[in-house]
DNA sequence: ACATGAAAATGATCAGATCACTTGGTCATT
DNA sequence: AATGACCAAGTGATCTGATCATTTTCATGT
């Protein structure tokens, strides 16, 4: 935001972007709904098409809208979100990877404890589905897909806390190159043990045992961290 | 990322954006450095100017680059960041505000404990500066500025943990409409008490007392939360 | 040295055109 | 009637080329 002596100079683009967001909010459009054609927007706001497109690209970058070729402009999944993973992040260095896991090991256990107190039902069911899916994928040997589902479990767990902001934080810190993280894990980690630990966490949350949920989550992530560290030291 | 049967269709824009990021990385450019002119980029990548601009807008949205009218394209402050606050977030609802504080009350205490163990020197000095600045601003009565500096203290505290990812998380969850949060606080909160609590946290971190730092941070944020809740119930 | 002001560099915006993809309907085939 | 091939309209993607606005640079004159 460029300022000069406290006075904010809003460019045409700033106005456009916020106006379009306001338009989405005004029409009460939800993620997935179709928005409005580029040409139509250009006419509505009395600006040229390239200008509209630049504004849309800005919104698109944070998942506020989606541009689908040949189809239209749609409301994106991240409208109204406060915290998000940098969609442009490049593959993290090994140091950054360890740091990321440390951050998760610090944040997720208390979130699990809160989840055990709140127990948002929809999220609990999602956790159960994630566990089932993981079991299937272990059997079928699809490790890439398994990695995704395991991450989904952690996200569902955060959802169960009932705090959308916390869920966003966990989602952000969890979505960052899941591939890289779990590439390592699935070479050297014990997939079945992972699943068992997830199941234990689920049971603790389901039964409302906050202390146990926190403890199990901490042990689980510390274990993951240990595997990663070991792997990085013996490449 | 649009996929069809597992095959990723990268649009020209996707390629452009990542190529430009790679170019920045390759040249080892740091935030604030000048990048390259739009027309020059268009020529380099053999695409039209509007296309380059759309890609730049995408990067700009997450703070990877900055476009300064008449001056040039510069590397932004968020290059290489993993987690960030949604720059398009609108003012959070009261519910969302409470949720945000709850998230902070959950995350920041263990971060403070870690900071007391790590004690990154540069961040400790920054904390001291923030405290001094806050004292001055209380004296001068500049509440708006005081709100900012108080947030800075929390960010510096997270920096002291030595974990950049955690610092990013705290920064993200802290930057979201500091204005709204502290508008409430500074009408009904006790500014001097706030400062004293910050000082106590600083002392605990400085002396390496992790448990105390965690406890004080928790009490501090719970206090803030109580003020916010009270304020929202009696408008 | 300093201030002034023109010139160059650069981003912002516009206009109109063409290409590429998606979608829904038509229509022949089965 | 169900199915599939095909076509046409709607819409995003990209290009070309120009003009305006802001910043920076630097020669010029005092």
């Amino acid at each position: 935001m460029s300022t000069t002596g406290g006075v904010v100079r809003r460019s045409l683009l700033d106005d456009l972007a916020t106006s379009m967001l306001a338009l989405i909010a005004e029409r009460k459009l939800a993620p997935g709904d179709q928005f409005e054609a580029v040409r139509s927007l250009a006419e509505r706001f009395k600006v040229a098409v390239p200008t509209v497109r630049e504004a849309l690209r800005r919104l698109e970058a944070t998942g506020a809208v989606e541009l689908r070729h040949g189809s239209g402009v749609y409301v994106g999944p991240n409208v109204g979100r406060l915290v998000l993973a940098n969609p442009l992040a490049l593959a993290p260095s090994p140091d950054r990877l360890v740091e990321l896991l440390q951050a998760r090991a610090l944040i997720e256990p208390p979130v699990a404890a809160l989840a055990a107190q709140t127990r948002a039902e929809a999220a609990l069911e999602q956790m159960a589905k994630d566990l089932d899916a993981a079991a299937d994928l272990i059997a079928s040997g699809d490790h890439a897909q398994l990695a995704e589902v395991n991450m989904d479990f952690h996200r569902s767990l955060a959802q169960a806390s009932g705090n959308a902001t916390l869920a966003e934080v966990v989602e952000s810190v969890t979505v960052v190159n899941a591939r890289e993280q779990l590439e390592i894990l699935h070479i050297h980690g014990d997939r079945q043990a992972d699943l068992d630990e997830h199941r234990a966490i689920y049971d603790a949350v389901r039964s409302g045992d906050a202390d146990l949920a926190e403890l199990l989550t901490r042990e689980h992530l510390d274990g993951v961290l240990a595997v990663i560290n070991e792997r990085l030291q013996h490449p």
Side-chain angles (χ1 to χ4, degrees), chain A residues 109 111-119 157 200-217:
Chain A
V111 172
L114 180 57
Q117 291 166 9
T118 308
R119 281 182 286 178
L157 173 58
I201 292 171
Y202 170 73
D203 289 340
V205 170
R206 171 63 89 182
S207 69
D209 190 335
D211 289 340
L212 183 59
E214 179 165 358
L215 178 66
L216 290 175
T217 303

Side-chain angles (χ1 to χ4, degrees), chain A residues 6 74 86 91-92 120 130 134 146-147 156 179 185 202 204 213 234:
Chain A
Y74 296 79
N86 188 348
D130 293 338
L146 175 59
S156 300
R179 193 161 302 176
L185 273 184
Y202 170 73
H234 308 286

Side-chain angles (χ1 to χ4, degrees), chain A residues 87-234:
Chain A
L88 300 147
L90 20 83
S93 66
D95 284 353
R96 207 84 167 78
L97 204 58
V98 169
E99 206 179 70
L100 197 56
L101 261 296
Q102 285 174 335
R104 291 186 55 197
L106 204 84
I107 293 172
E108 292 191 42
V111 172
L114 180 57
Q117 291 166 9
T118 308
R119 281 182 286 178
E121 185 53 32
L124 288 182
E125 286 170 16
Q126 186 58 49
M127 288 170 72
K129 282 182 190 169
D130 293 338
L131 289 175
D132 290 345
D136 291 347
L137 290 168
I138 287 179
S140 73
D142 186 343
H143 297 173
Q145 197 64 30
L146 175 59
E148 287 298 331
V149 171
N150 278 337
M151 284 304 187
D152 285 342
F153 176 82
H154 284 266
R155 296 185 195 118
S156 300
L157 173 58
Q159 293 277 357
S161 75
N163 185 316
T165 305
L166 278 175
E168 288 176 8
V169 168
V170 169
E171 203 270 344
S172 298
V173 86
T174 249
V175 81
V176 181
N177 294 79
R179 193 161 302 176
E180 277 84 351
Q181 290 184 37
L182 293 160
E183 186 174 299
I184 296 175
L185 273 184
H186 282 75
I187 294 174
H188 293 264
D190 184 332
R191 288 173 278 282
Q192 187 59 48
D194 252 30
L195 177 56
D196 292 341
E197 289 172 20
H198 280 182
R199 282 206 171 110
I201 292 171
Y202 170 73
D203 289 340
V205 170
R206 171 63 89 182
S207 69
D209 190 335
D211 289 340
L212 183 59
E214 179 165 358
L215 178 66
L216 290 175
T217 303
R218 178 163 288 122
E219 286 178 348
H220 172 59
L221 286 171
D222 284 345
V224 172
L225 190 52
V227 171
I228 296 263
N229 267 323
E230 183 184 343
R231 170 65 178 155
L232 289 176
Q233 285 170 7
H234 308 286

